[in-house]
Amino acid sequence: MSEHTPIGLENPTAPISAVTHSGNFHLDETLGYVILHYALAPDGDLRGRVMGTGPDGRLAFARTRSPERIAAADIVFDVGGRYDPATGRYDHHMKEKPLREDGTPYSAAGLLWKDYGMAAIRSILKNPAPEPEVAAIWQSLDRSLVLPIDLDDNGVTKMGKLSLADIVSACRPTWDTVELYGPDAAKTRETEGFANAAVAVAGHLVNMIDRVRASLKAESRVLAAYAQAEDKRILLMETGMPTEKVIFDHDLPVVYVVSPAAPDRWNVKAIPPVRGDFGQRVSLPEAWRGLDGATLASVSGVADAVFAHPARFICGAASRAGALKMAQLALEIDAAQAKG
């Protein structure tokens, strides 16, 4: 994260001009523009600012190769041949590239994320969040989104087909655009392509931030529920949410998760031995396999039992108490079978 106050963040109302290069564009500078939009002027029109139809908010943005315009801009990224954040310069194409602590070369997006990412996250979040949560979201996206862009843009590892980089590339005009439409129309199509790419990248960034926020919230609730559990093998959740990641990240000995699935349905889900696997640490009883309704209720002894999947990884009851009882019985049955 930034070790200084980046340009534009010290005064939230001062006008800021930002420049990147014109011509062929990539995910690197597209995300860089999106980061600056949310960090400095989220009230502006993300697409309209590129197209010159505004409103800009306080951020003036241009794509140019003009040395004069580059020199005059407050923030310059992915062009200019300098990395000097104190003066708003964020290029990474020099022989001596700016590097992460592990030696990975930064992209321009990575450099801007380092300085402006926290401000962008605060702007995107619907509700104010404490700084530790903002920092955790920043760290998660730095690892899952920004680092792969650094690697791709510097020719270390390609992001591959159907990645965000591929989506941005698909927004670029085709090679024969000038031939088909002429230079003026080709330039307009290039600008429209960048604007379209920025909208797509912005949507992805907003969605990722919201998903990480929700994941952190789920982690807090899962750990709290685990701390309150009498039997640490049964995790009772009062609200449905992702639990498997937290269980494996924290090496919890949870075997079954009991949680609501609908107003009149509570499920028992078996945790796999390995995250994402199809197996179960403890499968649901063989005698319940594929049964439902009155038959399952009779066999299981749980009056409101509703179903048991043939693959023995999930079952359910109409009530919280019923589902919890099914989880407890499943463990008792497994323990009895283990004793022989």
Side-chain angles (χ1 to χ4, degrees):
M1 299 181 199
S2 177
E3 299 171 355
H4 59 278
T5 302
I7 288 175
L9 296 184
E10 75 285 354
N11 183 343
T13 61
I16 299 293
S17 60
V19 162
T20 190
H21 61 81
S22 56
N24 208 15
F25 55 86
H26 303 87
L27 175 55
D28 175 22
E29 67 269 24
T30 307
L31 177 59
Y33 165 61
V34 169
I35 292 168
L36 291 176
H37 165 79
Y38 284 113
L40 298 176
D43 55 324
D45 184 337
L46 178 78
R47 191 179 193 281
R49 187 187 292 119
V50 175
M51 298 302 301
T53 58
D56 290 348
R58 69 182 184 116
L59 176 64
F61 173 69
R63 299 172 61 249
T64 181
R65 296 280 184 179
S66 164
E68 293 77 18
R69 296 184 70 185
I70 291 171
D74 297 309
I75 300 171
V76 177
F77 60 100
D78 209 42
V79 70
R82 290 171 55 205
Y83 172 57
D84 182 11
T87 61
R89 269 48 192 168
Y90 293 91
D91 199 9
H92 69 109
H93 293 102
M94 304 79 71
K95 183 177 181 181
E96 299 297 326
K97 293 176 177 287
L99 305 175
R100 290 173 175 264
E101 290 183 359
D102 64 358
T104 301
Y106 276 106
S107 66
L111 294 173
L112 288 172
W113 182 250
K114 179 182 177 183
D115 276 14
Y116 293 94
M118 294 274 283
I121 292 167
R122 292 189 202 100
S123 172
I124 288 170
L125 290 173
K126 297 298 183 184
N127 298 308
E131 285 304 288
E133 180 178 334
V134 175
I137 294 173
W138 182 95
Q139 185 64 51
S140 178
L141 266 70
D142 186 62
R143 183 172 57 251
S144 63
L145 174 64
V146 181
L147 176 58
I149 294 171
D150 289 345
L151 295 171
D152 182 275
D153 199 70
N154 284 287
V156 179
T157 305
K158 286 190 70 64
M159 292 183 75
K161 290 295 181 183
L162 302 182
S163 66
L164 192 59
D166 207 39
I167 291 171
V168 169
S169 294
C171 293
R172 299 196 302 240
T174 57
W175 66 269
D176 59 347
T177 301
V178 173
E179 179 181 307
L180 291 175
Y181 305 105
D184 292 340
K187 184 168 183 175
T188 299
R189 285 171 174 262
E190 177 195 301
T191 302
E192 289 176 343
F194 184 89
N196 293 338
V199 170
V201 171
H204 186 72
L205 179 64
V206 168
N207 290 338
M208 285 194 71
I209 286 173
D210 197 44
R211 295 186 74 83
V212 174
R213 175 206 56 76
S215 177
L216 293 171
K217 183 177 180 179
E219 180 177 41
S220 175
R221 291 195 181 181
V222 168
L223 294 177
Y226 177 76
Q228 295 173 3
E230 294 182 10
D231 185 338
K232 300 301 184 184
R233 298 172 297 173
I234 299 175
L235 181 67
L236 177 60
M237 302 299 301
E238 301 296 341
T239 305
M241 66 187 65
T243 59
E244 190 172 303
K245 179 180 185 298
V246 185
I247 289 168
F248 282 98
D249 284 351
H250 292 269
D251 197 25
L252 305 182
V254 174
V255 174
Y256 299 127
V257 176
V258 178
S259 62
D264 57 350
R265 173 76 58 81
W266 283 70
N267 285 347
V268 180
K269 185 176 180 182
I271 296 300
V274 178
R275 184 182 176 193
D277 199 359
F278 284 115
Q280 301 93 39
R281 288 177 173 177
V282 177
S283 298
L284 293 166
E286 172 66 28
W288 302 357
R289 179 201 291 266
L291 301 182
D292 59 20
T295 304
L296 177 60
S298 175
V299 171
S300 67
V302 178
D304 64 348
V306 176
F307 79 101
H309 195 281
R312 300 170 63 193
F313 74 95
I314 191 169
C315 66
S319 68
R320 176 182 184 275
L324 184 58
K325 184 62 177 177
M326 292 183 83
Q328 293 166 340
L329 286 170
L331 288 176
E332 291 173 10
I333 293 169
D334 179 72
Q337 290 176 341
K339 289 180 179 179

